[in-house]
Amino acid sequence: MKLSQLEKELELRPLQVYKDEEWESAYTSDLLSDVMGNAPGDSVLVTIQGHKNTVAVATLAGIKAIVLANGAPATADMLQAAALENIAIFSSPKDQFHLSCKIGKILNLP
Amino acid sequence: MNYKADFHNHSCLSPCAGIEMGPITLVNRAKSLGIKILGLTDHNSARNTPAFEYLAKESGILPLCGVEVTTSEEIHVLCFFPTSGEALDFGNLIEKALPRIPLNHEKMGEQWVVNKDEEILEEVDFYLGTATSYGIDQVEKLCHDLGGLFIPAHIDRPTSSLKSQLGYIPQLNYDGFEIQLSPEGLNTGITPLVKGSDAHHPDMVGQRTCEIDLPQLSWEALVAYFQSFSRV
């Protein structure tokens, strides 16, 4: 599935222009060491950590997009790093639980 | 007498610091700035403290052989020890509590262990920059069991601090707190505040320092200074 479909179905707000890549799984966590150790590749990360360290960890894990839950703001250097690394940054006023449930439905998780 | 102190510095062992940040460079830079109490606090390892300890002593600087531990809550804590011996023992325990994420030079950086001549001895081949499995209370106990000083790092920073990760200060036996952003006037009244550069490049050494009043320049006098404050 393309990131643009995720944007549409979850009613996300892209924080900058992004490359419309494919994604196939997702991970939800606010502890970056947990993301680094456990997030699958080609995935979407749901988190409230809106700073550039999240992009660094996403790069290591092969994450394609970061969805900032609860309306968490993104710092300017986060957006800059994400643009360099081709990682999409979205924002949503919904919390991690609601976003994760919706993504679960899109992925037909049992 | 007042001594200029810089509690928080990294060396080329930390993945986020470059090869140019060798212990000779660190000590020489500190010496030229009049720093007399100098901390080496690499991420989750103490393997460069023996070289650092030797070089600092040669320059008339009190070496604080330390580790910047990442707790399981992702809080950064500075732990300092009387000598590199205890620091290495502590560092071994901390390293064992890290997941074995293979070091990727391009994405994570380099982690060099060097001797007092800055010759490379080895490279740590797993990533030191992530969180250990120890909670902050366990780190406090391990640190104090080895005679260390336990000082949560940059508690006023919006990331990797007590404030950002917990939002409150749990009841533990703190020897002090490192502050980074707060103005000089901040005073808890009960727990000493220290400053450190968190230097990852030679130019950053000495960018944040504090003055510590000691009867003489020694580890024992420093411990007595911290113990003279009542605790939280």
Side-chain angles (χ1 to χ4, degrees), chain A:
Chain A
M1 182 182 286
K2 291 276 190 187
L3 289 174
S4 52
Q5 282 171 274
L6 179 79
E7 178 194 335
K8 199 175 155 200
E9 299 215 17
L10 268 67
E11 298 174 326
L12 303 174
R13 185 165 66 90
L15 295 188
Q16 59 191 6
V17 178
Y18 66 92
K19 195 172 163 192
D20 197 10
E21 297 218 58
E22 294 280 337
W23 63 284
E24 53 191 38
S25 62
Y27 199 74
T28 301
S29 180
D30 298 319
L31 206 56
L32 294 181
S33 57
D34 171 52
V35 175
M36 186 190 286
N38 298 310
D42 295 329
S43 61
V44 170
L45 173 67
V46 180
T47 186
I48 55 167
Q49 297 284 3
H51 49 78
K52 71 173 181 185
N53 295 328
T54 314
V55 174
V57 168
T59 308
L60 293 171
I63 288 164
K64 301 291 183 188
I66 298 168
V67 178
L68 293 174
N70 259 350
T75 60
D77 56 2
M78 178 191 200
L79 294 176
Q80 231 169 15
L84 277 175
E85 298 290 349
N86 272 328
I87 292 172
I89 309 282
F90 297 107
S91 170
S92 169
K94 296 203 169 67
D95 65 28
Q96 295 97 313
F97 178 72
H98 283 91
L99 292 167
S100 302
C101 286
K102 277 201 159 184
I103 294 173
K105 278 187 191 158
I106 294 170
L107 293 173
N108 287 321
L109 293 187

Side-chain angles (χ1 to χ4, degrees), chain B residues 18-163:
Chain B
I19 186 72
E20 72 278 4
M21 198 60 173
I24 296 178
T25 307
L26 170 63
V27 168
N28 284 348
R29 172 99 178 127
K31 189 181 179 186
S32 73
L33 295 168
I35 291 164
K36 299 300 276 185
I37 301 170
L38 182 65
L40 175 63
T41 48
D42 282 310
H43 290 294
N44 300 308
S45 177
R47 294 198 209 186
N48 273 347
T49 58
F52 163 74
E53 180 180 43
Y54 176 91
L55 292 159
K57 279 184 176 172
E58 251 196 346
S59 291
I61 290 172
L62 175 65
L64 300 182
C65 297
V67 178
E68 183 175 22
V69 180
T70 312
T71 72
S72 62
E73 304 93 343
E74 295 189 357
I75 299 164
H76 288 190
V77 180
L78 306 178
C79 298
F80 297 106
F81 297 91
T83 71
S84 58
E86 293 90 352
L88 286 172
D89 289 345
F90 178 78
N92 281 336
L93 294 171
I94 293 302
E95 285 186 26
K96 280 187 189 143
L98 283 172
R100 289 303 187 261
I101 298 173
L103 183 69
N104 175 329
H105 276 174
E106 194 193 324
K107 292 184 171 176
M108 299 167 176
E110 300 171 346
Q111 302 179 154
W112 304 110
V113 181
V114 298
N115 64 15
K116 65 180 172 58
D117 300 313
E118 288 189 355
E119 293 162 343
I120 291 170
L121 300 176
E122 60 178 333
E123 183 171 33
V124 180
D125 62 4
F126 54 94
Y127 184 51
L128 291 171
T130 191
T132 65
S133 58
Y134 290 129
I136 188 169
D137 51 335
Q138 292 171 298
V139 175
E140 187 248 348
K141 186 170 187 314
L142 287 173
C143 175
H144 283 140
D145 282 352
L146 284 162
L149 291 169
F150 179 74
I151 301 175
H154 39 65
I155 63 162
D156 52 349
R157 217 178 68 171
T159 54
S160 308
S161 68
L162 265 179
K163 178 182 151 183

Side-chain angles (χ1 to χ4, degrees), chain B residues 158-186:
Chain B
T159 54
S160 308
S161 68
L162 265 179
K163 178 182 151 183
S164 71
Q165 302 307 106
L166 294 183
Y168 73 103
I169 298 178
Q171 288 279 334
L172 293 171
N173 191 7
Y174 305 102
D175 293 292
F177 295 118
E178 183 202 30
I179 54 165
Q180 197 174 70
L181 310 171
S182 310
E184 293 291 337
L186 180 71

